[in-house]
Amino acid sequence: MTLISAGVDLCDMRRIAQALERFGDRFTQRVFTQQERAKAESRSGQARIGAYAKRWAAKEACAKALGTGFAQGVAHSQIGVHNLPSGQPTLVLTGAAAQKLAQLMPPGTVPHIVLSMTDEPPYALAQVLVSARKA
């Protein structure tokens, strides 16, 4: 396996709380996938804010790893945090984000993404490592 890129993001959870309070569903539906919203909304209080903040940080870290930020057609909603049956988080990319990921891969390889997220109020942190595996 060959490391292709990495990204990291630190998010102030208070900023996410303010966005949720001010914009509500307009914010969550524009930024988060249905699965991400369901996961966060199954929690309450600080755990709910933390779930959204960690996923925000993961999207930002992924956009950095792609080398695009949120440009070149890459949008927050195209980067989804999903949990494997073990509970381990991973990323599912669609649209321009998936296309950019494919462009980063050397011929004969497929992408492998490792995502790590944590929060300690008032901050949430995510790190993304993109590697290439032989197809």
Side-chain angles (χ1 to χ4, degrees), residues 44-94:
S44 61
Q46 193 64 32
R48 177 177 169 264
I49 303 299
Y52 278 123
K54 286 185 286 191
R55 282 153 183 79
W56 174 274
K59 293 167 185 286
E60 293 279 343
C62 182
K64 292 172 185 175
L66 292 175
T68 60
F70 290 102
Q72 300 177 33
V74 175
H76 287 88
S77 61
Q78 297 172 348
I79 302 169
V81 176
H82 295 262
N83 293 86
L84 300 175
S86 65
Q88 177 185 357
T90 190
L91 293 172
V92 175
L93 279 57
T94 60

